Amino acid sequence: MEKDIADRILKWLSKGEVAPPHRVELDPTNKCNLMCLACVARGKPVYDASKELTKYKWLKIIREAIQLGAKSFNISGGGEPLCRPKTTLTIMKEIKKYNLIGSLVTNGTLFTKEIVKKLVRIRWDEIRFSIDGPDAKTHDYLRDVPGTFDRAIESIKFFTFLKKKLNRSKPRIHITPVITSQNFNRICEMIELVHDLGADALYLQPFMSGSVLDIQSNKEKRRQISKRLRLNNRQQKEFREHLKKARRLAEKYRITTNFDFLEEKIMKETTDVIIRSDSKEQPQNSILSIPCFFPWFLLQIHADGIVEPCGGNPVRESIKQKSLREIWYGELFNKLRRELIRKQIPSCCKACCPILVYDIRSVRKALFEITGENIEKLTFNSKMLKSEKTWN
C-alpha cells in the first residue's frame, strides 16, 4: 500500500501530474457510549444527530471516492461507529462490494453476534479494538464505564471462534491501547492477552497530553485528567524496560507490534516537533524533506460532512457544497501542500496523534525505495509551488 501511495505522491511532486487520494477516513457519527479519559475529547464528545450525514449520503460519498481513485477506507470517529450500526454496516458492505481495503476503529462494546457474522462473511479486513488494559479494573477505569472490558473481550472471542470455524483469516484483530500512567507497566500482560484471544497485533499509542482541546478549552477538569494520565520521567524510563521484555514475548508468540517505532521522542514530544526533526534529517532540497505527506494521500470526512486533509486541520471544505474532486484538487488543499513543501508546519500538527508519524515515515521509506538516491535529484514540480486554482 505504501508503494502505491508513494507513486501517487511522486506524480504530484515531480511529474507535473495530479493523483487521487489513496486513503479515506470516514466518521459516521460523533455519538459515543463511553467516557474515555484518554480520548482527545476527554469524555466530552461533540454530538448533534441533526447535523450528521444520512446513510444515503454516505453511500454517495463512498462511490464518489472510489470513482476518484481511493483504494482504502478507515471507519473511525468522532465517536463510536457502532453507535450508528445500520449506517456503519451499510458503509462497510459498500466498501467491500468493490473489494477495497477496509479498517474499523471501535471500543468493541456494541458488537452483536449478527454484526460479527456479517463482517466475517464480507471479509472485512481489519478491526482495531481500543482496549487499554489487560483486565477489567484497568480498562474500565480508563473508559469510565463499568463492564466495558468484558463486552469488548467477548466480541473478540466470538470473532476468533467464527474465523476458526469458517477457516477465515479476516478480519485481522488488532488491539490498540493508549499508553498512560495507569497501564505503562502492563505491556507484557497485554501481549499475553493478545495471545490468549488469538488476536493478530498489539499497537501501542502515545497519550496525547498536549492536545489542542486541553490547550483551548481552559477547563480545569480536562487539564487534571491530562496531568493524571501523562507519564512522568520515572514512568517513561520504566516503560522502556517493560517494552524490552514485551518485545521478546511478542517474538515468542509471533505477535505483530509497533514497539520498534516507539522511540523516546515519540512518547515525549508532540507531533509537530517530531515531524520537524525528521524533516531536518533529510536532504533539504529533496522530496524526502517534506514534514508530512498526508495532504497528498488522505481525505477525512466527518459526520457533519466537513472534509479535511487530516483530523483537526483548519483547511476545511464541506461535502454539502462541493464534490470530493473539487475539494481534493482545489486551491485550499493545494495551498496547504505548498506550505508543507516550504516546511511551514500548521499549528494543528501539535495536536496530531504521534502514532501517525509511523505512516509518514513509511511513505518516506517507500519514496526512497522507488527512486533510490535519485530522489535527492528530483526537483519539485513548479505547478506545486504556484497558486493556480485550475492547474489540476
Side-chain angles (χ1 to χ4, degrees):
M1 185 161 61
E2 284 80 9
K3 184 181 182 299
D4 190 6
I5 291 172
D7 283 334
R8 296 183 184 207
I9 290 172
L10 286 172
K11 285 183 179 180
W12 276 102
L13 296 174
S14 68
K15 297 181 180 179
E17 303 174 18
V18 295
H22 188 285
R23 185 192 308 172
V24 179
E25 303 262 354
L26 307 174
D27 298 348
T29 182
N30 285 333
K31 184 178 181 181
C32 193
N33 62 322
L34 303 183
M35 298 285 285
C36 306
L37 301 183
C39 177
V40 292
R42 303 286 184 265
K44 294 289 183 181
V46 179
Y47 174 60
D48 184 347
S50 67
K51 294 183 179 180
E52 295 189 338
L53 300 174
T54 67
K55 177 174 66 175
Y56 303 102
K57 182 63 175 177
W58 277 116
L59 286 175
K60 183 179 178 181
I61 288 170
I62 292 166
R63 290 164 189 161
E64 185 180 352
I66 292 170
Q67 290 174 357
L68 189 59
K71 296 297 182 184
S72 61
F73 292 81
N74 181 43
I75 301 172
S76 170
E80 163 56 45
L82 290 176
C83 279
R84 202 177 174 189
K86 291 183 179 179
T87 298
T88 297
L89 286 172
T90 299
I91 289 171
M92 297 171 84
K93 288 179 183 177
E94 188 71 10
I95 290 167
K96 293 312 294 183
K97 185 171 81 173
Y98 293 92
N99 199 31
L100 298 175
I101 299 170
S103 178
L104 171 70
V105 178
T106 175
N107 61 43
T109 62
L110 298 179
F111 282 106
T112 64
K113 289 190 174 182
E114 283 307 308
I115 291 176
V116 172
K117 289 176 182 178
K118 288 177 182 178
L119 296 187
V120 174
R121 190 179 303 125
I122 66 174
R123 290 179 167 83
W124 187 254
D125 295 279
E126 177 183 285
I127 301 178
R128 304 178 202 172
F129 283 82
S130 302
I131 296 179
D132 287 331
D135 53 43
K137 182 180 178 180
T138 306
H139 178 76
D140 290 0
Y141 168 77
L142 289 166
R143 297 282 154 171
D144 207 20
V145 175
T148 301
F149 180 80
D150 291 339
R151 292 199 299 273
I153 295 303
E154 285 305 309
S155 297
I156 296 175
K157 286 181 177 179
F158 191 60
F159 269 110
T160 302
F161 164 77
L162 202 58
K163 285 163 58 181
K164 186 175 182 179
K165 179 181 178 180
L166 299 177
N167 194 27
R168 299 279 177 86
S169 61
K170 294 181 179 180
R172 295 181 299 275
I173 303 298
H174 296 177
I175 292 179
T176 59
V178 176
I179 300 303
T180 68
S181 62
Q182 305 301 306
N183 63 8
F184 74 95
N185 55 354
R186 312 289 298 279
I187 311 304
C188 286
E189 294 170 75
M190 290 299 297
I191 288 288
E192 293 286 0
L193 179 66
V194 172
H195 174 66
D196 292 344
L197 293 173
D200 300 282
L202 178 70
Y203 290 121
L204 308 183
Q205 302 182 71
F207 173 59
M208 294 170 62
S209 60
S211 76
V212 165
L213 197 86
D214 287 329
I215 296 167
Q216 293 180 348
S217 66
N218 199 29
K219 293 186 177 180
E220 187 60 26
K221 181 180 179 180
R222 294 178 182 177
R223 292 178 183 274
Q224 288 301 318
I225 290 173
S226 180
K227 182 179 179 180
R228 188 163 78 243
L229 297 184
R230 188 187 307 122
L231 269 63
N232 60 34
N233 290 335
R234 177 186 60 81
Q235 291 168 335
Q236 286 278 0
K237 186 176 180 179
E238 288 183 25
F239 171 70
R240 295 286 143 203
E241 295 304 313
H242 289 290
L243 206 58
K244 289 178 184 177
K245 296 176 183 177
R247 181 182 286 107
R248 292 194 291 269
L249 196 58
E251 289 172 354
K252 174 185 173 182
Y253 290 140
R254 297 183 180 179
I255 292 170
T256 302
T257 72
N258 65 340
F259 293 173
D260 289 339
F261 166 71
L262 296 171
E263 64 210 49
E264 192 167 348
K265 70 178 179 180
I266 294 292
M267 298 299 296
K268 284 187 173 183
E269 302 288 355
T270 53
T271 303
D272 60 327
V273 173
I274 299 168
I275 62 175
R276 191 182 303 278
S277 173
D278 284 1
S279 171
K280 288 179 179 179
E281 293 175 1
Q282 308 301 322
Q284 288 306 292
N285 293 324
S286 155
I287 289 171
L288 295 178
S289 67
I290 294 175
C292 177
F293 298 102
F294 276 101
W296 283 274
F297 72 88
L298 175 74
L299 264 178
Q300 183 158 9
I301 307 172
H302 294 286
D304 59 359
I306 294 297
V307 183
E308 302 174 338
C310 54
N313 202 297
V315 175
R316 296 180 150 213
E317 302 265 29
S318 175
I319 194 65
K320 297 175 183 178
Q321 298 168 351
K322 294 183 179 180
S323 67
L324 282 184
R325 177 175 292 276
E326 289 173 319
I327 294 171
W328 179 251
Y329 294 120
E331 173 58 16
L332 200 57
F333 273 44
N334 282 335
K335 182 175 181 290
L336 174 62
R337 293 170 183 134
R338 289 192 297 272
E339 289 173 353
L340 285 169
I341 289 173
R342 296 185 177 106
K343 316 295 192 303
Q344 297 170 4
I345 299 175
S347 59
C348 63
C349 293
K350 182 179 180 64
C352 184
C353 181
I355 203 71
L356 298 180
V357 174
Y358 177 83
D359 291 321
I360 299 171
R361 291 178 176 176
S362 296
V363 170
R364 186 176 281 124
K365 180 181 178 182
L367 284 166
F368 184 80
E369 289 175 349
I370 290 171
T371 60
E373 295 180 0
N374 290 329
I375 196 166
E376 297 184 23
K377 301 174 184 177
L378 289 177
T379 58
F380 295 111
N381 178 264
S382 60
K383 289 182 178 180
M384 278 305 305
L385 299 174
K386 294 179 181 178
S387 179
E388 298 181 16
K389 295 185 179 180
T390 59
W391 71 267
N392 52 289

